[in-house]
């Protein structure tokens, strides 16, 4: 696939991220960068900026589709966006999030859905939520030649069980369970493990304990990599941000100003200008004028 870069030259020497290069990064303490993307343009911008891993997260539900939580987003909706992101990604590793209901019901259905992300969407890895109880399923998906990312801690698909979006792993028992989850998923062969919404100290212990690279969100700086939801990064959100979110731009304000400016220009007849309009050639204009003159003469 050859892509013309959007802004400046793409770094052709950049290596493609693979499951092996993620492990190399852990080994060399070279932080892994990961961002979500849900569309072609954002995916290209992230890929050309050198992001290592692009995740089509099920946060698609809130960020792009306006759902209240991640539970409603479907396989078909996820696939539609994975395909768009695939067209924008060249060097980054493309991870597709398995939506709620696509892997919790039965194992063969889960493997079939994971395969759809690879075959139809062009994903190179799938991600699913849950700890040690998912280890056997993860083995089956890996057996089908599909790399898997685990996701433990604050797992948004369990919002109703957790009773809200709460930081996990705060008591000794919960910490022990998180460690058991991480070790079980590492043993099952995950290529990386997303740690969401857990104390920094617990994420650091897990990162030191397991061989798979950890990618944290609200899990402190000791993880092997970091992930943020793109819409949080650029302030394209409507609610109060979580503690760990850092805004690198205010896209919402920028976009609102652009839309307001356009509306004002249309209403005041400032847009479009003559320079922004197409024109007839001199000959075509003369021919049109003579037809109009003849019509006027007939009417008179
Ligand atoms: O869906 C998502 O965006 C995610 C990240 C928060 C890890 O799963």
């Amino acid at each position: 696939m050859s892509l013309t870069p959007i802004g400046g030259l793409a770094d052709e020497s950049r290596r493609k991220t693979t499951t092996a290069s993620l492990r190399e990064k852990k080994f060399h303490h070279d932080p892994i960068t990961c961002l979500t993307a849900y569309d072609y343009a954002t995916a290209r911008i992230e890929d050309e900026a050198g992001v290592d891993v692009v995740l089509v997260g099920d946060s698609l539900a809130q960020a792009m589709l306006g759902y209240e939580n991640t539970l409603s987003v479907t396989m078909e909706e996820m696939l539609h966006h994975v395909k768009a992101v695939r067209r924008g990604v060249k060097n980054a590793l493309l991870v597709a999030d398995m939506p709620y209901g696509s892997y919790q019901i039965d194992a063969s259905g889960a493997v079939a859905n994971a395969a759809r992300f690879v075959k139809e969407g062009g994903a190179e890895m799938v991600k699913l939520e849950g700890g040690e109880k998912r280890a056997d399923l993860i083995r089956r998906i890996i057996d089908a030649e599909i790399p898997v990312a685990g996701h433990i801690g604050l797992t948004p698909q369990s919002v109703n069980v957790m009773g809200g979006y709460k930081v996990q792993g705060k008591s000794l028992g919960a910490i022990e369970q998180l460690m058991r989850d991480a070790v079980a998923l590492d043993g099952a062969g995950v290529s990386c493990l997303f740690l969401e919404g857990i104390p920094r100290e617990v994420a650091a212990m897990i990162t030191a304990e397991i061989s798979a690279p950890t990618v944290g969100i609200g899990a402190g700086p000791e993880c092997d990599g970091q992930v943020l939801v793109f819409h949080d990064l650029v302030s394209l959100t409507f609610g109060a941000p979580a503690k760990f979110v850092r805004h690198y731009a205010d896209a919402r304000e920028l976009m609102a100003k652009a839309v307001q400016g356009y509306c004002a220009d249309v209403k005041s007849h400032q847009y479009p200008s003559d320079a922004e309009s197409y024109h007839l050639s001199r000959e075509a204009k003369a021919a049109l004028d003579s037809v109009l003159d003849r019509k006027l003469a007939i009417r008179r």
Side-chain angles (χ1 to χ4, degrees):
M1 183 172 38
S2 140
L3 298 175
T4 316
I6 287 174
L9 287 175
D11 181 1
E12 293 298 336
S13 64
R14 238 190 81 215
R15 280 174 60 200
K16 168 91 188 97
T17 307
T18 60
T19 54
S21 68
L22 289 181
R23 277 185 192 259
E24 267 172 46
K25 279 179 179 286
K26 178 175 179 113
F27 185 76
H28 293 294
H29 302 290
D30 176 11
I32 297 163
T33 55
C34 177
L35 279 175
T36 66
Y38 318 100
D39 64 279
Y40 169 77
T42 310
R44 270 194 76 168
I45 290 166
E46 291 179 4
D47 192 66
E48 289 172 11
V51 168
D52 297 311
V53 178
V54 171
L55 167 69
V56 185
D58 62 352
S59 50
L60 165 74
Q62 300 104 312
M64 292 290 286
L65 303 180
Y67 290 130
E68 197 181 320
N69 55 42
T70 58
L71 299 178
S72 327
V73 75
T74 65
M75 267 303 291
E76 300 313 316
E77 287 168 329
M78 287 297 299
L79 260 173
H80 178 75
H81 288 267
V82 171
K83 288 179 192 173
V85 169
R86 173 71 281 165
R87 293 188 280 268
V89 166
K90 187 175 165 192
N91 287 316
L93 184 90
L94 175 54
V95 183
D97 221 354
M98 298 199 66
Y100 176 67
S102 71
Y103 61 95
Q104 288 92 343
I105 296 160
D106 69 281
S108 34
V111 178
N113 283 328
R116 285 192 73 193
F117 279 124
V118 175
K119 206 175 180 71
E120 297 173 43
E124 294 156 305
M125 188 181 290
V126 296
K127 174 168 89 57
L128 53 89
E129 297 182 7
E132 57 183 345
K133 69 180 176 189
R134 302 273 182 244
D136 287 340
L137 174 61
I138 287 172
R139 281 196 188 87
R140 285 196 54 174
I141 298 175
I142 295 171
D143 265 358
E145 320 303 342
I146 303 169
V148 176
H151 182 164
I152 60 172
L154 193 173
T155 46
Q157 292 178 15
S158 317
V159 60
N160 293 328
V161 177
M162 293 183 304
Y165 299 104
K166 296 175 183 160
V167 174
Q168 303 293 301
K170 285 166 115 179
S171 68
L172 217 49
I175 295 168
E176 280 169 3
Q177 183 58 52
L178 273 178
M179 190 54 92
R180 272 198 298 277
D181 289 337
V183 169
L185 298 192
D186 196 34
V190 290
S191 295
C192 61
L193 183 59
F194 285 73
L195 302 177
E196 178 166 357
I198 62 173
R200 170 180 182 170
E201 297 80 0
V202 180
M205 274 169 48
I206 292 173
T207 301
E209 182 66 25
I210 66 172
S211 63
T214 59
V215 181
I217 176 162
E222 284 85 10
C223 297
D224 297 306
Q226 298 292 328
V227 57
L228 276 180
V229 167
F230 176 76
H231 286 56
D232 285 335
L233 185 88
V234 298
S235 311
L236 205 48
T237 51
F238 297 87
K243 178 180 185 175
F244 57 80
V245 168
R246 189 181 292 179
H247 299 297
Y248 287 85
D250 196 340
R252 187 173 161 197
E253 192 184 303
L254 196 78
M255 288 164 88
K257 279 203 175 126
V259 172
Q260 287 158 8
Y262 164 75
C263 290
D265 282 356
V266 170
K267 285 181 191 298
S268 61
H269 304 278
Q270 301 296 303
Y271 178 83
S273 67
D274 186 57
E276 288 157 333
S277 306
Y278 296 107
H279 292 271
L280 285 174
S281 67
R282 202 188 305 256
E283 299 73 33
K285 176 85 169 61
L288 179 65
D289 286 347
S290 98
V291 170
L292 291 176
D293 284 350
R294 261 183 277 133
K295 277 200 175 149
L296 276 177
I298 291 165
R299 270 197 214 137
R300 269 190 241 119

